[in-house]
């Protein structure tokens, strides 16, 4: 059975920054492309998140969203496999954000490391807004509404998934209480059938008595893959593993994306704000030109000076793009000054140009026909909304709000 059929979900989002560069690709997008074939994936454009810092001029949102989604598809995201959508087209995120705001202490939000950092770094923007403070909570709503097992993110987002887990725990504790929970949970265990019921009890005991996290995870997997129980029973069983309330919003786990260092043309980290990027769909001649003039080990002034690959940003690209043999050839040639920097760059340029060319080829039909993108996003958003509504029905019921 493939993993996606085991019901494991993955969710992640990206702010619409317009056309992506190779740093974005190796930092996140590439891992999304791999994940879509292993899990049931939801990937979305976090356009409301863009508003939390760029509220003064929102005019580029549509273009930035459009261009970024073309890049996703160019990189190999497959809308037939993964659900690709736009946050603002699934307004349920906003409802969950509102409801979670009722139970979230302001101090939790003020404590998030990015809160003060970003305010300092982006002084010109005045981020003393309500929306900016609530940013991590909006992200929590984005995540929890899909009840994913994993949230693939980079290091900078780990704190946001952490607070998401705390909020889920608090919500389940406050709102997941149900009368006669224990007897209902016991009945649910019986409905698992003999062998699974025994396994459930055993794993639950292992977790509760010795905090065995692997046992907890195994039990969760068993419950999630069990197709013959009701949604309500599944939540009782998930909640009963850990405590005495229903897990309406299960706690997701971080799936840390191991991102290689992608240097820009000036040797610093590739970043839009440094103006040192190579676009995912950039014109091949321009890519080649940028690489030819890219910063190398500054100690290698003349062709006859030996260099140090460990101090050269071009070699960082070799680590990403070249096989072992080519890397060994480049490193050795550099240290012994037996090759020049242009020689060293040549195989790299070929690989990067080939990659960018393949991206451009895949993007072409979407560039020519923008309507395709709108259709993909409309369909993806429709699917996402179905999943979000299922959760919201339960959240509303748990909070004694109308469910019709
Ligand atoms: N905050 C994320 C970023 O800036 C984007 C994001 C919004 C996100 N909601 C999310 C990522 C939910 C993962 C899950 O990169
Ligand atoms: Fe960098 Fe290659 Fe030049 Fe060495 S030979 S400095 S690794 S570009």
């Amino acid at each position: 059975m493939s993993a996606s059929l085991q019901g494991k979900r993955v969710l992640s989002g990206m702010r619409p920054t317009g056309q992506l560069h190779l740093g974005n690709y190796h930092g996140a997008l590439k891992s999304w492309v791999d994940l879509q074939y292993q899990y049931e994936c939801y990937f979305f454009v976090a356009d409301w998140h863009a508003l939390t810092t760029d509220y003064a001029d929102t005019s580029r949102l549509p273009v930035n969203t459009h261009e970024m989604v073309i890049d996703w598809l160019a990189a190999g995201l497959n809308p037939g496999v993964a659900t690709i959508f736009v946050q603002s087209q699934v307004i349920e995120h906003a409802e969950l954000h509102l409801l979670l705001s009722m139970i979230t202490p302001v101090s939790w939000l003020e404590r998030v490391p990015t809160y003060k950092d970003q305010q300092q770094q982006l002084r010109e923007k005045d981020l003393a807004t309500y929306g900016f403070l609530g940013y991590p909570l909006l992200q929590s709503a984005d995540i929890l509404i899909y009840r994913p097992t994993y949230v693939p993110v980079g290091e900078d987002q780990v704190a946001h998934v952490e607070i998401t887990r705390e909020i889920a725990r608090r919500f389940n504790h406050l709102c997941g209480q149900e009368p006669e929970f224990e007897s209902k949970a016991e009945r649910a265990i019986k409905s698992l059938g003999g062998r699974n019921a025994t396994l459930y009890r055993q794993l639950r005991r292992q977790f509760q008595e010795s905090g065995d996290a692997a046992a907890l995870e195994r039990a969760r997997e068993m419950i999630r893959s069990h197709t013959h129980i009701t949604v309500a029973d599944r939540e009782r069983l998930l909640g009963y593993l850990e405590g005495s309330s229903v897990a309406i919003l299960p706690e997701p786990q971080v799936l840390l994306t191991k991102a290689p260092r992608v240097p820009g043309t000036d040797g610093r980290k590739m970043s839009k704000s440094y103006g040192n990027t190579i676009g995912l769909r950039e014109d091949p001649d321009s890519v080649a030109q940028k690489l030819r003039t890219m910063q190398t080990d500054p100690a290698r002034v003349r062709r006859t000076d030996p260099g140090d690959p460990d101090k050269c940003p071009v070699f960082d690209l070799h680590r990403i793009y070249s096989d072992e043999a080519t890397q060994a050839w480049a490193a050795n040639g550099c240290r012994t000054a037996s090759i020049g920097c242009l020689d060293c760059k040549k195989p790299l340029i070929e690989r990067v140009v080939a990659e960018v060319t393949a991206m451009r080829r895949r993007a072409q039909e979407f560039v020519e026909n923008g309507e395709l993108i709108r259709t993909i996003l409309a369909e993806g958003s429709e699917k996402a909304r179905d999943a979000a509504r299922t959760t919201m029905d339960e959240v509303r019921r748990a909070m004694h709000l109308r469910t019709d």
Side-chain angles (χ1 to χ4, degrees):
M1 188 164 62
S2 88
S4 62
L5 297 177
Q6 288 172 22
K8 278 203 187 177
R9 257 189 207 167
V10 160
L11 171 114
S12 199
M14 219 184 264
R15 287 163 168 252
T17 49
Q19 292 203 359
L20 300 179
H21 53 68
L22 295 179
N24 303 128
Y25 176 61
H26 294 288
L29 193 48
K30 200 168 178 213
S31 78
W32 290 11
V33 175
D34 294 338
L35 286 167
Q36 71 182 337
Y37 296 112
Q38 302 168 46
Y39 302 105
E40 181 194 349
C41 286
Y42 289 76
F43 297 122
F44 73 99
V45 181
D47 55 348
W48 282 335
H49 273 85
L51 296 180
T52 62
T53 50
D54 295 299
Y55 53 83
D57 178 10
T58 62
S59 59
R60 289 194 57 78
L61 267 183
V63 180
N64 286 349
T65 299
H66 189 84
E67 292 298 326
M68 185 170 80
V69 172
I70 293 182
D71 283 336
W72 288 5
L73 300 167
L77 273 197
N78 179 349
V81 177
T83 304
I84 300 172
F85 67 101
V86 179
Q87 182 183 33
S88 64
Q89 288 185 24
V90 186
I91 51 160
E92 284 77 4
H93 291 222
E95 186 189 2
L96 185 58
H97 177 212
L98 174 84
L99 295 178
L100 293 177
S101 79
M102 305 301 171
I103 64 156
T104 303
V106 175
S107 62
W108 288 16
L109 296 171
E110 287 169 336
R111 250 202 286 121
V112 173
T114 44
Y115 181 57
K116 295 233 159 63
D117 287 359
Q118 293 251 54
Q119 274 190 339
Q120 300 243 307
Q121 275 172 31
L122 305 174
R123 276 230 185 97
E124 73 285 1
K125 281 188 177 160
D126 186 7
L127 296 182
T129 57
Y130 180 53
F132 185 68
L133 176 66
Y135 175 119
L137 189 61
L138 178 57
Q139 184 160 351
S140 300
D142 296 336
I143 296 171
L144 295 174
I145 207 164
Y146 297 101
R147 304 201 256 211
T149 306
Y150 300 120
V151 183
V153 286
E155 201 77 64
D156 62 318
Q157 297 291 317
V158 171
H160 295 154
V161 181
E162 243 351 280
I163 192 176
T164 302
R165 291 165 58 89
E166 286 172 38
I167 287 163
R169 229 173 288 143
R170 184 163 164 93
F171 179 87
N172 292 332
H173 174 71
L174 291 171
C175 305
Q177 307 292 350
E178 94 181 320
E180 294 176 66
F181 173 74
E182 301 232 343
S183 59
K184 284 182 185 157
E186 285 295 332
R187 231 174 297 141
I189 296 176
K190 292 209 184 79
S191 74
L192 286 173
R195 232 164 29 124
N196 279 333
T198 310
L199 180 63
Y200 178 94
R201 286 188 210 283
Q202 189 191 333
L203 293 170
R204 177 172 182 263
R205 199 172 334 110
Q206 263 168 274
F207 173 68
Q208 297 206 335
E209 285 172 9
S210 50
D212 183 342
L216 177 63
E217 200 36 46
R218 260 191 77 199
R220 282 181 178 159
E221 253 160 55
M222 186 260 282
I223 297 161
R224 289 195 193 106
S225 63
H226 201 98
T227 45
H228 300 297
I229 49 175
T230 63
V231 175
D233 271 352
R234 177 169 302 149
E235 276 159 21
R236 287 186 190 109
L237 290 169
L238 288 170
Y240 195 48
L241 284 171
E242 290 176 275
S244 58
S245 53
V246 184
I248 299 171
L249 301 176
E251 286 178 49
Q253 292 173 47
V254 169
L255 198 62
L256 194 62
T257 313
K258 281 193 258 1
R261 188 190 122 82
V262 184
T265 49
D266 60 358
R268 291 185 291 175
K269 181 183 150 90
M270 191 179 284
S271 159
K272 212 171 178 180
S273 53
Y274 293 151
N276 64 358
T277 61
I278 292 175
L280 207 74
R281 289 185 275 136
E282 193 163 324
D283 170 65
D285 290 339
S286 155
V287 173
Q289 182 56 24
K290 281 185 179 176
L291 289 171
R292 272 195 293 270
T293 52
M294 179 167 172
Q295 173 73 43
T296 59
D297 175 3
R300 240 201 133 179
V301 186
R302 280 176 301 263
R303 165 73 173 75
T304 48
D305 297 332
D308 182 354
D310 291 329
K311 293 187 180 137
C312 178
V314 172
F315 197 75
D316 283 332
L317 289 183
H318 269 304
R319 287 186 222 276
I320 299 171
Y321 284 95
S322 303
D323 55 25
E324 294 280 323
T326 310
Q327 287 186 39
W329 164 83
N332 184 48
C334 177
R335 290 199 178 96
T336 57
S338 61
I339 59 170
C341 287
L342 265 181
D343 304 321
C344 176
K345 288 173 173 179
K346 196 162 168 275
L348 186 63
I349 294 174
E350 275 169 25
R351 297 295 291 270
V352 179
V353 164
E355 184 172 83
V356 169
T357 305
M359 301 274 189
R360 288 165 69 88
R361 190 169 27 77
R362 280 194 295 262
Q364 193 171 352
E365 59 173 322
F366 305 112
V367 172
E368 283 166 6
N369 185 355
E371 203 48 48
L372 282 177
I373 298 291
R374 278 180 283 280
T375 307
I376 288 168
L377 292 177
E379 283 173 5
S381 300
E382 188 60 44
K383 262 180 75 186
R385 220 174 290 135
D386 281 345
R389 280 194 188 134
T390 306
T391 307
M392 286 318 295
D393 278 347
E394 287 165 32
V395 167
R396 286 188 208 118
R397 197 173 322 124
M399 294 183 96
H400 305 106
L401 298 162
R402 289 174 57 138
T403 54
D404 56 5

